[in-house]
Amino acid sequence: MRASTFFVVFSVLSLMLLAGCNNTSTSINSELSATAQASATATGQSAAQNAIPVTLENNDGHYQIYRGGKPYFILGAGGTSQPELLAASGGNSMRTWSTDNAQEILDRAHAAGLSVMLGLRIGHERHGFDYNDEAAVAAQKEYVLNEVKKYKDHPAVLAWGIGNEVDLFYTNTKVWYAIEDIARNIQQIDPNHLVTTVTAGIDAEKARLIMERVPSIDYLSVNIYGGLETLPATLREVGWKGAYVVTEWGPTGHWQIAKTKWNVPIEQTSTEKAASYRERYNAGVLGAPGKALGSYAFLWGQKQETTPTWYGLFLESGEATEVVDSMQYLWTGKWPEHRAPSIRSFTIDGKKALDSIYLKSGKTYKVVLDAFHPNNEAFHIRWEVLPESTDIRAGGDPEKRPVAVPGLIASDNGKGVMEFVAPAKTGAYRLFGYVTNDYKRAAVANVPFYVH
């Protein structure tokens, strides 16, 4: 592919892809955030273009990030929605997957006292990029390095993330040489920030290739969901002796969880997710002092991926779920003043999701959603029936949201008990229950069912 052709294709791909701690560390990071905010206010500018130096120190195998000369532990979230709420919840960093709208994102993050792990998008083999095409690889490198030059002096930049899960379903391991070439050049262009690359999980072969072929990264970044609990042990087993950051983590993945008899995954309730976030963070991040440099919880925002609620920490309508409460507790040791509601159980015709629920078309069924609030605050419940999504992609690629089926609610007592009519069309569906309060906090659950 000629270089000029590559830039056209690369621009199109850029539009298509991804539309979409301990108390000591908390104290240090809060102080640094306050300093950054004061600096931005004093200049009267959107962001003073003076880089805050970031280094990674290795003291006999014990790693520590320093930002502006002070120890820094990443209390982060992936996504760019509501950076002010992220900071108010105790977070100190956000992650992007590309440089799209980077100036605006960096400015807003800096104003909120946050740093940014800025993603550098590179081609995926599964999207058609050919790492045997030397011209395409060279053009990609030039593009990426130009992006680094644009933003390297911004005070919000913490690190550069070269690619995201380029190893997902790949066969051509030359990608690691391309990443090394970019990483080595970034280290020369920008001595003030750290450089990493992001993998889809980790295994012995992948770790070996990265150690052999990508020596210029400062630390390893791993995306992992179910399995985060044992990541420190896994990294030891595969021979990774360096530092790492968990750059995506969250609920049990849709590819990892129990399924119905018609083979669709059963999503955790937001209450179950909140508990798993707490457990996984303590084991997979805080459980590896001196190796884990922090993490970015996924997703500080909302997206359609298998369902509209699986990975987002927010509802489409903007409410923060119970997981946001859990992240604030993990980052600060304190729950928010006004917490989200919770869900004990959710049944259709007395059956739970794990029972693989079959319904008859046109028949009316009773639904019970047992919700509560930890501080006995009032809440509201709304319902939605969606056909099961058939637009299932890989690696977080954009998916189309199913269209809700209207007119099915027969009665609703407003307290979690309602009756609905099974849809007329045969097939797989999900019933969603959204539990919200007046403080923009929410719980959510769904139950898959099959109409015959």
Side-chain angles (χ1 to χ4, degrees):
M1 181 186 295
R2 292 171 54 189
S4 59
T5 305
F6 166 76
F7 279 122
V8 174
V9 174
F10 194 87
S11 297
V12 172
L13 283 173
S14 294
L15 293 172
M16 291 176 61
L17 300 181
L18 295 172
C21 112
N22 55 32
N23 292 334
T24 300
S25 297
T26 302
S27 175
I28 291 168
N29 292 328
S30 297
E31 180 184 346
L32 190 56
S33 294
T35 301
Q37 286 178 301
S39 174
T41 302
T43 63
Q45 301 172 355
S46 61
Q49 297 299 299
N50 296 302
I52 297 175
V54 183
T55 59
L56 180 64
E57 304 296 329
N58 177 5
N59 183 11
D60 195 25
H62 187 282
Y63 293 86
Q64 174 69 61
I65 292 176
Y66 287 84
R67 184 170 186 248
K70 298 178 181 179
Y72 194 83
F73 190 80
I74 299 170
L75 310 175
T80 59
S81 299
Q82 304 191 47
E84 296 80 10
L85 179 57
L86 176 58
S89 300
N92 65 11
S93 191
M94 58 202 307
R95 178 199 169 195
T96 76
W97 287 260
S98 74
T99 52
D100 295 348
N101 303 315
Q103 188 67 47
E104 178 184 348
I105 291 167
L106 290 166
D107 288 351
R108 191 172 175 188
H110 184 58
L114 304 172
S115 69
V116 180
M117 175 181 162
L118 200 58
L120 299 169
R121 182 182 289 147
I122 64 172
H124 287 227
E125 183 181 334
R126 63 190 175 86
H127 294 142
F129 193 91
D130 183 2
Y131 280 91
N132 290 320
D133 186 332
E134 295 181 2
V137 171
Q140 173 174 259
K141 172 186 169 182
E142 181 181 2
Y143 173 85
V144 168
L145 295 181
N146 282 335
E147 293 297 283
V148 172
K149 291 173 185 175
K150 277 186 201 175
Y151 304 113
K152 68 182 180 64
D153 295 324
H154 198 289
V157 175
L158 177 74
W160 303 102
I162 307 172
N164 181 71
E165 299 188 357
V166 295
D167 53 304
L168 187 64
F169 308 133
Y170 81 142
T171 59
N172 189 346
T173 60
K174 284 185 179 180
V175 64
W176 302 120
Y177 291 126
I179 290 173
E180 166 60 18
D181 193 21
I182 292 171
R184 185 174 61 252
N185 277 273
I186 293 176
Q187 297 283 18
Q188 296 169 358
I189 293 169
D190 179 16
N192 287 319
H193 302 110
L194 304 179
V195 182
T196 185
T197 190
V198 181
T199 64
I202 193 68
D203 56 37
E205 176 64 9
K206 202 179 298 181
R208 181 187 66 79
L209 286 168
I210 294 171
M211 287 187 286
E212 290 178 357
R213 298 185 181 185
V214 199
S216 295
I217 58 171
D218 292 296
Y219 59 88
L220 178 66
S221 291
V222 182
N223 293 349
I224 188 168
Y225 291 84
L228 174 56
E229 304 92 324
T230 57
L231 181 60
T234 299
L235 288 169
R236 289 193 298 269
E237 290 168 4
V238 302
W240 183 262
K241 295 181 173 60
Y244 71 93
V245 172
V246 185
T247 39
E248 277 185 34
W249 64 278
T252 304
H254 59 271
W255 64 94
Q256 299 173 309
I257 207 160
K259 295 184 177 181
T260 65
K261 291 179 180 178
W262 55 95
N263 203 37
V264 301
I266 299 171
E267 183 175 350
Q268 296 169 294
T269 68
S270 58
T271 306
E272 292 167 336
K273 290 176 187 177
S276 68
Y277 271 78
R278 296 192 297 271
E279 176 187 354
R280 287 169 179 165
Y281 185 78
N282 283 319
V285 181
L286 297 187
K291 297 295 184 184
L293 306 173
S295 77
Y296 292 91
F298 189 81
L299 167 73
W300 196 265
Q302 184 276 334
K303 68 179 298 192
Q304 166 70 36
E305 188 170 354
T306 303
T307 75
T309 58
W310 202 296
Y311 296 99
L313 274 65
F314 296 82
L315 300 185
E316 292 168 286
S317 46
E319 292 90 350
T321 69
E322 295 174 87
V323 178
V324 173
D325 291 6
S326 281
M327 293 314 305
Q328 178 168 332
Y329 181 79
L330 291 168
W331 290 332
T332 70
K334 297 179 180 179
W335 294 102
E337 179 182 0
H338 296 288
R339 294 176 60 179
S342 294
I343 293 172
R344 291 192 186 93
S345 64
F346 191 9
T347 61
I348 300 176
D349 198 30
K351 298 176 182 178
K352 300 177 181 179
L354 285 168
D355 295 327
S356 290
I357 303 167
Y358 289 90
L359 305 182
K360 291 184 179 180
S361 173
K363 185 177 177 181
T364 300
Y365 293 90
K366 182 180 179 181
V367 173
V368 178
L369 195 162
D370 184 3
F372 69 98
H373 192 280
N375 297 329
N376 295 318
E377 294 177 353
F379 54 80
H380 323 279
I381 300 175
R382 62 182 175 88
W383 312 94
E384 184 177 44
V385 176
L386 296 181
E388 185 68 33
S389 176
T390 56
D391 185 24
I392 304 297
R393 308 300 177 99
D397 291 352
E399 298 178 5
K400 184 178 180 180
R401 186 195 197 277
V403 177
V405 183
L408 299 178
I409 308 302
S411 66
D412 183 1
N413 74 352
K415 298 179 180 180
V417 178
M418 71 90 162
E419 292 183 334
F420 83 115
V421 179
K425 186 178 179 181
T426 298
Y429 297 83
R430 290 179 189 258
L431 172 64
F432 288 77
Y434 302 96
V435 187
T436 61
N437 65 16
D438 293 335
Y439 299 98
K440 298 289 285 182
R441 301 278 166 162
V444 61
N446 70 76
V447 177
F449 63 91
Y450 195 95
V451 174
H452 61 92

